[in-house]
Amino acid sequence: MPAAMITVDGISGSAYRVTIGRHQVVVDQPLEAGGQDLGPTPTDLFVAGLASCTAYYAGKFLQRRDIPTEDVRVSCDYSMAQSRPSRVESIRLRLDLPAGLSDEERAATLRAADKCSVHHSLQNNPDVAITLSSNAPVVAGRKS
């Protein structure tokens, strides 16, 4: 399945509209960081992608066994590195499953959740390249 086209357009200040296929979300910075707090930070959204992928993989495993997924929950928190470059240093995920699962079912669901493609992407360092579009003006004397 091809990945959804993602575009990010400035709104104002630190706020951006992220369009993912037919869906939109606004990202911003909190007030104390100079933003307007119109949405989660990009880093929050990054970690939320991991948490929601984990929930998805656990849920698909349960669905294949006709176990309802309404009680599946992934809670997470993360911490930023104190040194440069700025980055997420650690992420802690907690998977809550429906009541009544056996120990074997719980362990198997955890193994399924661990197959999350976002998790695997983090473990295997994807190549990331940032380039300028051909119509982007280059300002003389300005270094990036």
Side-chain angles (χ1 to χ4, degrees), residues 54-55 58-59 62 68-76 93-99 101 106 109-110 113:
T54 300
L62 295 172
T69 60
E70 289 79 6
D71 291 332
V72 171
R73 170 180 272 186
V74 175
S75 305
C76 68
L93 301 152
R94 188 184 79 225
L95 176 59
D96 295 323
L97 298 174
L101 296 180
R106 291 172 58 78
T109 306
L110 181 59

Side-chain angles (χ1 to χ4, degrees), residues 6-27:
I6 299 172
T7 57
V8 180
D9 299 296
I11 297 174
S12 69
S14 300
Y16 292 86
R17 179 176 299 104
V18 181
T19 303
I20 307 166
R22 299 182 316 233
H23 309 284
Q24 291 187 345
V25 64
V26 172
V27 296

Side-chain angles (χ1 to χ4, degrees), residues 125-133:
N125 298 331
D127 291 327
V128 177
I130 302 172
T131 62
L132 291 175
S133 67

Side-chain angles (χ1 to χ4, degrees), residues 41-58:
T41 69
T43 306
D44 291 340
L45 201 55
F46 167 73
V47 175
L50 174 61
S52 57
C53 185
T54 300
Y56 170 78
Y57 275 77

